[in-house]
């Protein structure tokens, strides 16, 4: 199996189109047509991780954070990024990054945090906006099922934990073929009345090209009548952060002790205690100060994330306990999650989890 074939399989499960616009996800270096000898899954593709890949005969590194984030103007080994990339290229090792595509995935980074905390009724904290579209197409009744099957196969009609969702109305359509046409039915210059179905499906915006092509290939008409609408609906199954409910409400200090144990933490930075029990908890892996207001709007009693700055703690407004558990610490389950996903998809070559330490933050206790 080639690198490009492996990537195609990964992206069926974790579409890169879910990533944030600022991000640099996908294949960062490597030749797509090269056969895969083994995959190493890691958090950061640093030089020591590339060394590990060489030792384990893995020529594809699947990492969470992209080692190349901003542009490289040279490759001379003068810093940690260039050294890692150079060593990977010299040893014919490809590096593929998933980052915010997995952050925005319903079963991604934040799902791992929620599961570690034992949260129930998990929901997206900041659902993606301007992400959904609706297609309406008019089809001869006898071809309605054929067109729907083609649309579903292209990914239309997937809504959360349901697929093949559509709505159909029957009616009467008219058209008049004019000179130059090759009508499916009827005669030139004679108005035709047709028994047609109006089919409506919702889809994620990035799928539009494939869905329109699939629709046209299954449709019998020479000219297909259809409309595509942008929807204001939020995508409740894709977005940053999650929130959920603890089985039982906890005192604030007991909650922090539980978090410290579950995440194997040496320290937790937090806002002032509010003398209220913790029941609803919001989470956002990585740098999550941007999610504080969203967590407040969802009436979370506590919010777990990393990289909280001094002034961010004031945003709690004595309504929510803000907990900074560390950037890496909040994302620590990612490697295991990606390893499990890849292990389910690929069984013909070795998949390994990196054992190298890449967290740059240390604590002196």
């Amino acid at each position: 199996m080639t690198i490009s074939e492996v990537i195609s399989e990964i992206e069926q499960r974790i579409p890169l189109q879910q990533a944030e616009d600022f991000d640099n996800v996908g294949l960062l270096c490597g030749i797509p047509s090269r056969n895969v000898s083994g995959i190493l899954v890691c958090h950061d593709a640093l030089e020591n991780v590339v060394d590990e890949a060489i030792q384990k005969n893995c020529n594809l590194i699947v990492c969470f954070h992209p080692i190349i984030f901003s542009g490289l103007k040279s490759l001379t080994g003068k810093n940690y990024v260039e050294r890692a990339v150079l060593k990977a290229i010299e040893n014919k090792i490809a590096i593929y990054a998933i980052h915010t595509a997995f952050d925005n995935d319903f079963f991604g980074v934040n799902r791992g945090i929620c599961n570690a905390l034992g949260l129930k009724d998990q929901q997206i904290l900041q659902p993606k906006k301007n992400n959904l579209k609706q297609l309406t197409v008019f089809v001869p009744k006898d071809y309605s099922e054929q067109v729907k099957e083609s649309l579903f196969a292209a990914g239309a009609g997937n809504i959360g934990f349901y697929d093949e969702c559509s709505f159909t109305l029957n009616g009467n359509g008219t058209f008049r073929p004019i000179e130059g046409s090759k009508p499916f039915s009827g005669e030139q210059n004679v108005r035709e009345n047709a028994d047609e179905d109006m089919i409506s499906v919702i889809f994620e915006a990035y799928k539009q090209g494939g869905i329109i092509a699939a629709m046209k290939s299954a449709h019998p008409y020479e000219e297909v009548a259809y409309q595509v609408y942008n929807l204001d609906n939020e995508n409740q199954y894709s977005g940053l952060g999650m929130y959920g409910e603890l089985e039982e409400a906890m005192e604030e200090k007991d909650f922090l002790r539980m978090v410290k144990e579950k995440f194997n933490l040496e320290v937790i930075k937090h806002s002032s205690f509010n003398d209220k029990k913790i029941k609803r908890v919001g989470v956002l892996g990585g740098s999550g100060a941007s999610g504080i207001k969203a967590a407040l709007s969802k009436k979370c009693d506590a919010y777990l994330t990393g990289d909280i700055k001094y002034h961010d703690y004031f945003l709690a407004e004595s309504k929510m306990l803000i907990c900074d558990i560390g950037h890496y610490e909040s994302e620590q389950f990612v490697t295991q999650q990606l390893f499990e996903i890849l292990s389910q998809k690929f069984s013909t070559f070795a998949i390994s989890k990196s054992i190298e330490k890449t967290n740059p933050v240390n604590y002196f206790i």
Side-chain angles (χ1 to χ4, degrees):
M1 183 173 278
T2 65
I3 289 171
S4 63
E5 289 172 334
V6 169
I7 288 172
S8 178
E9 288 292 321
I10 293 173
E11 291 176 6
Q12 287 182 30
R13 169 60 186 81
I14 310 169
L16 289 188
Q17 293 88 345
Q18 295 182 148
E20 296 296 303
D21 292 339
F22 65 81
D23 207 0
N24 187 37
V25 292
L27 186 63
L28 305 183
C29 69
I31 299 175
S33 60
R34 186 168 285 148
N35 287 326
V36 175
S37 60
I39 300 176
L40 181 66
V41 184
C42 68
H43 203 93
D44 302 280
L46 303 182
E47 189 176 8
N48 59 333
V49 174
V50 178
D51 286 332
E52 183 182 7
I54 295 169
Q55 190 272 322
K56 292 180 175 178
N57 192 34
C58 295
N59 66 344
L60 174 59
I61 296 174
V62 175
C63 56
F64 181 61
H65 289 141
I67 185 66
I68 303 173
F69 196 78
S70 53
L72 291 176
K73 294 186 177 181
S74 64
L75 273 175
T76 61
K78 62 180 175 293
N79 57 45
Y80 79 97
V81 172
E82 292 185 14
R83 287 193 294 274
V85 174
L86 270 176
K87 181 165 286 190
I89 292 172
E90 289 170 346
N91 289 276
K92 299 181 179 179
I93 295 172
I95 299 177
Y96 178 86
I98 203 77
H99 204 206
T100 57
F102 203 48
D103 278 315
N104 280 307
D105 195 272
F106 190 85
F107 295 100
V109 177
N110 299 296
R111 179 80 165 195
I113 302 172
C114 287
N115 288 345
L117 294 171
L119 300 185
K120 310 297 182 183
D121 302 321
Q122 299 172 15
Q123 300 179 58
I124 296 292
L125 182 64
Q126 300 178 86
K128 270 191 171 294
K129 298 179 180 179
N130 305 314
N131 175 252
L132 297 175
K133 294 191 175 188
Q134 180 179 6
L135 167 68
T136 298
V137 58
F138 298 87
V139 187
K141 187 172 180 60
D142 291 343
Y143 286 80
S144 186
E145 285 302 314
Q146 174 179 308
V147 172
K148 278 193 283 188
E149 288 295 333
S150 186
L151 288 170
F152 296 152
N158 291 356
I159 304 175
F161 299 111
Y162 297 85
D163 63 8
E164 301 191 4
C165 302
S166 69
F167 188 78
T168 303
L169 283 175
N170 182 252
N172 184 265
T174 66
F175 58 89
R176 187 174 70 157
I178 60 176
E179 186 176 349
S181 64
K182 297 178 181 179
F184 170 73
S185 63
E187 300 177 8
Q188 285 189 0
N189 301 313
V190 177
R191 186 170 63 195
E192 175 81 2
N193 289 279
D195 186 14
E196 294 183 330
D197 284 340
M198 183 181 77
I199 302 171
S200 294
V201 290
I202 291 176
F203 59 93
E204 291 168 301
Y206 71 87
K207 298 178 181 177
Q208 179 169 330
I211 286 171
I212 298 300
M215 175 199 70
K216 289 183 175 180
S217 69
H219 203 292
Y221 284 176
E222 182 180 18
E223 292 291 345
V224 181
Y226 70 95
Q227 295 89 38
V228 176
Y229 306 96
N230 293 319
L231 300 181
D232 288 335
N233 306 49
E234 292 181 337
N235 188 343
Q236 300 179 33
Y237 299 93
S238 179
L240 294 174
M242 297 191 86
Y243 68 98
E245 308 273 338
L246 293 168
E247 194 74 52
E248 300 288 341
M250 304 178 68
E251 298 291 343
E252 291 167 308
K253 289 184 179 179
D254 291 334
F255 173 74
L256 290 179
R257 291 188 188 98
M258 183 268 288
V259 171
K260 195 172 182 181
E261 177 185 349
K262 295 286 186 182
F263 288 76
N264 193 29
L265 305 175
E266 295 180 349
V267 63
I268 300 176
K269 296 195 296 180
H270 62 86
S271 59
S272 299
F273 289 131
N274 304 311
D275 295 324
K276 60 181 290 189
K277 289 191 174 182
I278 306 297
K279 177 69 173 176
R280 177 171 293 182
V281 181
V283 307
L284 178 52
S287 300
S290 61
I292 292 175
K293 291 183 179 179
L296 283 168
S297 72
K298 301 296 184 183
K299 301 188 184 305
C300 292
D301 304 308
Y303 178 61
L304 265 66
T305 187
D307 299 341
I308 297 294
K309 296 180 181 179
Y310 177 86
H311 293 283
D312 294 331
Y313 288 97
F314 292 112
L315 298 176
E317 296 282 3
S318 300
K319 298 176 182 178
M320 182 176 72
L321 182 66
I322 297 177
C323 309
D324 184 341
I325 64 174
H327 190 120
Y328 176 89
E329 288 79 5
S330 67
E331 298 171 340
Q332 63 182 274
F333 308 112
V334 168
T335 301
Q336 179 63 30
Q337 288 175 282
L338 292 175
F339 174 77
E340 291 174 2
I341 290 170
L342 296 181
S343 296
Q344 290 172 2
K345 280 191 168 288
F346 309 111
S347 58
T348 56
F349 41 78
I351 301 174
S352 304
K353 283 190 301 180
S354 175
I355 59 174
E356 292 294 319
K357 179 183 181 298
T358 60
N359 182 9
V361 182
N362 297 276
Y363 300 95
F364 183 75
I365 305 298

